[in-house]
């Protein structure tokens, strides 16, 4: 009987999760399409079809970020629905403990977290990379200026000292869009500024396209192309400028290993790796939080403030994970500590509260 009931609860949980995903994906797609149409509608290369494609490419990344909340609401919705129909009351009357009928929900949450790490994340990484490329193509024919964060990379080779920044990084760091190169003389003063539409890393030099050169006290000069010597290697650049969001889970471990061999900081990549590893357990923690506020809802006629408390608790957990993830990416704390501690603490608290309510 327990196996049959477990399969029934598991099926109810997964069906609720399916419809939640469909609803959230539809809502996110509409909102992001509207926002993207406003941002890129005036660009020469943009079109309705292209904006639809851009929105579809960005969708997995946004869904990946909303999965913890989906897990929380799926757990609460399923348990409240079962309580409203007195199905959990019948299960308890049959001698089944809360821990026994909670196992299908926890197992379903773990599977959703696993699917997020193994399926949604690779799609999100691929889609984000293609979306950045598509956006860069649209901006190539536009005269819009973008805020450039400089310097984020500095190369010193012989007598050349150049600080480089860019609005968008493509091709693993070997192509820079809306690049800015600032050259310094031997006394540390700015000797030349080059604004290029694109900068491509070749063997031994950067190839700049559509360049505007500015020298102190001289009239600006525009060039079709220009070259800037560099001793940077493609492998080093790809590791140095790798964005965690564009690296799939399957490639993160290799990316970290190679980055370490070049002496490149890996905190951001390691934090992303541990964050994806902990995703199934984060979903389990969210489900435990949902159970603490939903499992006795009908029996004790708790007010809506109790459910609101569960939503707030889940939101606080999500904010805490994002905050400490930022700490891990910046090197303030070890990446594994930043990602695993909030999840473990949340699971422990959820289990403790559930134990107190069920077993006294």
């Amino acid at each position: 009987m327990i196996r049959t009931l477990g399969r029934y609860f598991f099926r109810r949980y997964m069906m609720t999760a399916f419809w939640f995903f469909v609803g959230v994906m539809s809502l996110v797609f509409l909102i992001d399409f509207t926002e993207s149409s406003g941002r890129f509608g005036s660009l020469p290369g943009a079109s309705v079809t292209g904006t639809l494609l851009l929105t579809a490419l960005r969708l997995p990344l946004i869904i990946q970020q909303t999965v913890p909340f989906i897990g929380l609401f799926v757990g609460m919705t399923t348990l409240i629905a079962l309580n409203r129909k007195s199905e959990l009351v019948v299960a308890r009357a049959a001698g089944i403990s809360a821990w026994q009928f909670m196992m299908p929900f926890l197992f379903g949450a773990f599977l959703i977290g696993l699917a997020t790490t193994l399926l949604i994340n690779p799609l999100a990484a691929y889609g984000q990379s293609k979306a950045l490329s598509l956006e860069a193509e649209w901006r190539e024919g536009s005269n819009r200026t973008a805020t450039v964060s400089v310097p984020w990379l500095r190369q010193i080779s012989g007598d050349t000292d150049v600080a480089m920044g860019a609005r968008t990084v493509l091709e693993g760091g070997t192509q820079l869009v809306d690049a800015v190169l600032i050259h310094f003389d031997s006394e540390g003063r700015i000797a030349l500024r080059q604004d290029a539409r694109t900068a491509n890393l070749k063997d031994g030099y950067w190839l700049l396209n559509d360049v505007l050169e500015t020298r102190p006290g001289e009239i600006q000069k525009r060039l079709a192309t220009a070259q800037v010597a560099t001793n940077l290697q493609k492998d080093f650049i790809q590791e140095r400028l790798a964005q965690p969001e564009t690296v799939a889970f399957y490639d993160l471990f290799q990316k970290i290993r190679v980055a370490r061999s070049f002496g490149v900081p890996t905190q951001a990549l390691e934090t992303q790796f541990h964050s994806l590893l902990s995703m199934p357990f984060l979903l389990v923690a969210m489900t435990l939080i949902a159970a603490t506020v939903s499992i006795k809802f009908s029996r004790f006629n708790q007010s809506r403030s109790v459910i609101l408390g569960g939503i707030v608790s889940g939101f606080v957990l999500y904010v805490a994970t994002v905050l400490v993830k930022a700490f891990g990416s910046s090197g303030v704390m070890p990446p594994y500590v930043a990602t695993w501690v909030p999840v473990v603490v949340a699971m422990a608290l959820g289990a403790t509260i559930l134990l107190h309510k069920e077993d006294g």
Side-chain angles (χ1 to χ4, degrees):
M1 182 182 71
I2 294 179
R3 289 186 178 181
T4 303
L5 188 64
R7 287 194 295 267
Y8 171 70
F9 283 166
F10 177 77
R11 186 167 62 251
R12 287 285 299 270
Y13 180 88
M14 297 306 290
M15 285 300 299
T16 304
F18 172 78
W19 288 114
F20 258 94
F21 270 99
V22 171
V24 171
M25 288 174 64
S26 302
L27 184 62
V28 167
F29 188 90
L30 290 174
I31 294 175
D32 192 56
F33 175 74
T34 303
E35 194 269 341
S36 297
S37 298
R39 285 177 56 198
F40 308 118
S42 60
L43 296 180
S47 64
V48 175
T49 304
T51 306
L52 287 171
L53 175 61
L54 179 69
T55 304
L57 290 172
R58 286 164 46 88
L59 185 62
L61 180 63
I62 301 175
I63 293 299
Q64 176 183 310
Q65 297 170 344
T66 62
V67 164
F69 280 112
I70 293 177
L72 175 67
F73 286 110
V74 167
M76 294 179 65
T77 301
T78 306
L79 289 170
I80 290 174
L82 292 173
N83 257 326
R84 290 284 175 84
K85 295 181 179 180
S86 300
E87 291 175 279
L88 293 186
V89 176
V90 173
R92 288 174 181 273
I96 299 175
S97 70
W99 297 105
Q100 287 177 304
F101 66 69
M102 276 300 299
M103 288 307 297
F105 306 125
L106 298 178
F107 181 66
F110 187 87
L111 288 182
I112 292 175
L114 205 60
T116 302
T117 298
L118 301 180
L119 298 178
I120 297 179
N121 173 257
L123 288 175
Y126 174 82
Q128 180 68 3
S129 177
K130 293 300 180 182
L132 289 174
S133 299
L134 184 60
E135 181 183 341
E137 291 178 7
W138 291 352
R139 291 186 182 275
E140 284 185 4
S142 172
N143 292 324
R144 283 190 187 178
T145 58
T147 301
V148 179
S149 177
V150 292
W152 47 256
L153 182 64
R154 192 160 185 166
Q155 62 176 44
I156 301 176
S157 176
D159 297 332
T160 62
D161 183 359
V162 184
M164 306 176 63
R167 181 185 55 78
T168 305
V169 179
L170 303 176
E171 303 297 331
T174 58
Q175 182 180 7
L176 311 179
V177 179
D178 288 347
V180 174
L181 289 80
I182 300 178
H183 300 250
F184 299 92
D185 58 21
S186 58
E187 298 181 359
R189 295 175 299 187
I190 297 177
L192 171 65
R193 170 173 172 148
Q194 294 175 307
D195 295 80
R197 180 66 65 184
T198 60
N200 298 283
L201 181 62
K202 304 297 183 180
D203 292 332
Y205 65 94
W206 289 94
L207 178 61
L208 312 182
N209 299 298
D210 190 12
V211 188
L212 179 64
E213 291 190 346
T214 304
R215 297 180 185 273
E218 298 183 12
I219 298 177
Q220 291 182 325
K221 181 171 59 175
R222 184 168 291 278
L223 304 173
T225 61
Q227 294 183 10
V228 176
T230 182
N231 58 357
L232 299 177
Q233 300 296 317
K234 288 186 177 182
D235 291 340
F236 175 80
I237 289 294
Q238 288 175 341
E239 302 306 323
R240 177 67 177 82
L241 302 181
Q243 298 178 340
E245 295 80 10
T246 60
V247 182
F249 173 75
Y250 303 106
D251 300 326
L252 274 171
F253 186 78
Q254 176 68 12
K255 204 79 172 176
I256 292 170
R257 189 182 66 82
V258 175
R260 284 175 178 170
S261 68
F262 283 108
V264 175
T266 60
Q267 287 91 346
L269 292 173
E270 290 184 60
T271 302
Q272 177 74 353
F273 179 71
H274 285 285
S275 176
L276 292 173
L277 275 182
S278 64
M279 181 63 72
F281 301 96
L282 177 61
L283 267 291
V284 170
M286 287 291 189
T287 305
L288 286 173
I289 291 175
T292 59
V293 299
S294 306
I295 202 169
K296 291 186 177 180
F297 180 75
S298 293
R299 292 169 59 195
F300 288 84
N301 194 27
Q302 287 133 319
S303 64
R304 295 178 182 177
S305 61
V306 176
I307 297 180
L308 180 61
I311 296 174
V312 171
S313 300
F315 179 76
V316 169
L317 173 59
Y318 179 78
V319 171
T321 56
V322 172
L323 183 62
V324 296
K325 183 179 178 181
F327 290 156
S329 299
S330 61
V332 175
M333 62 175 62
Y336 62 89
V337 173
T339 52
W340 284 101
V341 167
V343 175
V344 172
V345 170
M347 290 180 62
L349 286 176
T352 301
I353 296 174
L354 205 58
L355 275 171
H356 176 71
K357 286 188 173 184
E358 294 302 311
D359 303 326

